[in-house]
Amino acid sequence: MSEIRKAILVVSFGTSYEKTRKKTIDRIEECIRERFPAWKEYRAWTSGMIRQKIEKRDGIKIPDVKGALIQMAADGMTEVIVQPTHVLNGIENDQMQETVNTCRHLFSRVETGNPLLTTQEDNRRMIQIVSREMEPKSDEALVLMGHGTEHYANSIYAALDYQFKDMGYPNIFMGTVEAYPALDSLIRQVKEKNLEKVVLAPFMIVAGDHAENDLAGLEEDSWKSRFEKAGFAVTCVLKGLGEYAGVRELFLDHVLEAMKRGGMAEK
């Protein structure tokens, strides 16, 4: 009988910002290693542009999903969990899943974990995490910047915005850089609340380029500049979701759920 060798592949979009990577992606991976010490851990990043930049700048070669899976098979891994650190079941996650499906024959068992926000229970827990970590004062609005996507999964942002308010947090607003809810809508809604101050924070795993530039940048079209132009006192909290212990715990739960679905008992 052949030896069972278990591994977890942690799949992230990636970031070229080393400081935030250490606090987010690296920290998530570290927590997975600590929680599942009997499983060998691998890393893959889905952004080819970022992988190329890291290799050219730092001399570090990070594989894509297919490359990592091929390496895992060459290393003799037989049972594999693929756990994304994606926020949504969007385009990046669909492409990851397609790649995993083409490599299933390389292993005896493969199971994919859910992205951060997949079930209604995930959404509820995420709202509790945000409200616990960043609940605004009575004269403040907390405005969260999600990435946004053309994928139908983008609807989760508007649903979260509604659910924040339904769960008793009327001063928390959810928007996106590249889709809906958009910045103009957010400014209008915050104005209608007659609030004086705005706290801006990224709703992304890492506080990278979008957080540094689109959210807190000095350009006139950044969210900070636009809210200031609208008359608000603005504070930016450049902290990626991966820095919050509750978010990392949610990913750990998704890994364990995948193990159970795949019949791979935790050891």
Side-chain angles (χ1 to χ4, degrees):
M1 186 174 181
S2 60
E3 179 187 3
I4 296 175
R5 302 186 67 184
K6 299 173 180 287
I8 300 171
L9 174 61
V10 183
V11 178
S12 301
F13 180 79
T15 180
S16 61
Y17 288 72
E18 183 180 12
K19 186 176 180 180
T20 190
R21 188 207 73 222
K22 289 180 177 179
K23 296 177 181 177
T24 56
I25 294 173
D26 289 4
R27 191 72 184 92
I28 292 168
E29 292 174 348
E30 180 183 348
C31 288
I32 291 174
R33 286 194 298 274
E34 291 173 351
R35 178 65 178 81
F36 306 102
W39 296 66
K40 184 174 174 60
E41 187 179 81
Y42 291 79
R43 164 188 282 183
W45 286 4
T46 58
S47 173
M49 189 188 321
I50 292 175
R51 293 198 315 275
Q52 290 170 13
K53 183 175 182 179
I54 292 293
E55 184 173 6
K56 183 177 181 180
R57 186 190 70 191
D58 304 331
I60 299 172
K61 187 173 180 60
I62 299 172
D64 59 10
V65 176
K66 185 173 182 178
L69 289 170
I70 290 173
Q71 183 62 56
M72 293 165 77
D75 291 346
M77 300 300 118
T78 59
E79 297 190 353
V80 171
I81 299 295
V82 180
Q83 178 58 54
T85 66
H86 303 143
V87 174
L88 307 177
N89 289 273
I91 295 171
E92 293 288 327
N93 207 72
D94 284 353
Q95 292 174 343
M96 179 201 76
Q97 189 64 64
E98 289 174 6
T99 302
V100 171
N101 288 338
T102 65
C103 295
R104 285 187 180 277
H105 66 282
L106 299 175
F107 310 97
S108 58
R109 292 185 184 183
V110 180
E111 189 64 47
T112 305
N114 289 331
L116 184 64
L117 301 180
T118 301
T119 68
Q120 186 56 43
E121 176 62 16
D122 293 340
N123 298 348
R124 187 191 65 79
R125 286 177 62 179
M126 191 70 240
I127 287 170
Q128 290 178 330
I129 292 165
V130 169
S131 61
R132 181 173 64 246
E133 298 281 355
M134 296 183 279
E135 186 175 3
K137 299 175 182 176
S138 59
D139 63 342
E140 291 179 338
L142 171 62
V143 179
L144 302 170
M145 174 192 271
H147 188 278
T149 174
E150 296 178 356
H151 194 279
Y152 61 82
N154 190 78
S155 60
I156 190 63
Y157 293 113
L160 278 172
D161 183 78
Y162 180 90
Q163 194 170 353
F164 271 116
K165 295 163 179 64
D166 190 46
M167 290 179 63
Y169 305 104
N171 291 3
I172 300 180
F173 301 83
M174 173 65 70
T176 70
V177 185
E178 299 185 1
Y180 180 86
L183 180 56
D184 288 339
S185 298
L186 296 170
I187 292 174
R188 185 180 68 251
Q189 291 175 45
V190 175
K191 279 184 174 180
E192 290 172 354
K193 288 284 186 178
N194 294 315
L195 300 170
E196 301 173 358
K197 304 173 184 178
V198 170
V199 177
L200 297 176
F203 192 81
M204 305 173 188
I205 298 301
V206 302
D209 184 64
H210 285 301
E212 294 279 353
N213 298 306
D214 296 309
L215 186 142
L218 299 177
E219 295 79 7
E220 62 180 17
D221 62 344
S222 74
W223 284 30
K224 180 178 185 291
S225 296
R226 289 285 305 279
F227 270 105
E228 287 177 337
K229 186 176 181 180
F232 297 96
V234 179
T235 302
C236 297
V237 179
L238 301 186
K239 193 172 180 180
L241 293 179
E243 296 187 48
Y244 297 107
V247 169
R248 296 193 296 270
E249 189 65 33
L250 195 44
F251 279 126
L252 292 176
D253 287 348
H254 287 339
V255 173
L256 184 56
E257 291 160 6
M259 289 177 180
K260 291 177 179 178
R261 280 198 307 272
M264 293 175 260
E266 182 191 5
K267 292 182 181 178

